[in-house]
Amino acid sequence: MARLILNCEGVGLIMRELGGDFVTIGRAPSNHIVVDHPSVSTHHALLLRTGASYWLKDLNSTNGTLINGDCVTDTELKDGDTIRFGSVSAIFAGAYGKRCSSHGIRKFWRNISSPERVKPIAVATALGLSNL
């Protein structure tokens, strides 16, 4: 099963399995994945499963959604993609049984790294990686 790993300020890493055909992301409690951060819109984005793929659609959020640094409104997600919902970072892990690419994890870590944040070993542990 696909997963979304979020780095939430003050909370650390939060991993959510993406069950069902669609997953809503936003600040409102009615979302499937609630991201309680002021830069995230009430209803920020939608993940839609089509077959073995997931598509992300920005729901006209105030601060936008970026995939690998590019502002997007609607795009197919690939394993290891780095996503920013406002100023909250996340990484898309395409399949539960499939390991995330080390390149994607390293790229994600560079984007979120700072001395006050989660240590790299926590990212590796959350994703089941031992050889970063």
Side-chain angles (χ1 to χ4, degrees):
M1 180 177 294
R3 296 171 286 172
L4 192 64
I5 300 105
L6 297 125
N7 184 33
C8 296
E9 221 173 272
V11 177
L13 292 179
I14 298 172
M15 184 175 4
R16 296 287 186 251
E17 290 188 355
L18 304 177
D21 291 331
F22 70 93
V23 176
T24 57
I25 300 165
R27 214 174 54 245
S30 59
N31 288 290
H32 295 101
I33 299 176
V34 177
V35 183
D36 189 17
H37 191 274
S39 69
V40 176
S41 292
T42 306
H43 299 285
H44 197 101
L46 172 71
L47 295 175
L48 177 66
R49 183 175 60 191
T50 56
S53 299
Y54 275 88
W55 287 77
L56 181 140
K57 176 161 181 53
D58 182 86
L59 299 174
N60 298 318
S61 63
T62 302
N63 294 313
T65 302
L66 283 77
I67 305 287
N68 302 322
D70 297 323
C71 191
V72 298
T73 55
D74 188 0
T75 191
E76 183 177 8
L77 292 173
K78 310 242 180 323
D79 186 45
D81 276 348
T82 300
I83 307 167
R84 287 189 68 85
F85 302 105
S87 64
V88 174
S89 297
I91 191 166
F92 175 74
Y96 192 82
K98 181 180 167 192
R99 296 167 68 98
C100 291
S101 72
S102 293
H103 172 74
I105 301 305
R106 285 187 190 105
K107 187 172 165 185
F108 173 66
W109 183 249
R110 281 192 301 271
N111 287 338
I112 66 168
S113 287
S114 76
E116 302 82 39
R117 300 219 180 175
V118 179
K119 305 262 187 263
I121 193 69
V123 174
T125 302
L127 297 171
L129 301 173
S130 59
N131 59 351
L132 287 181

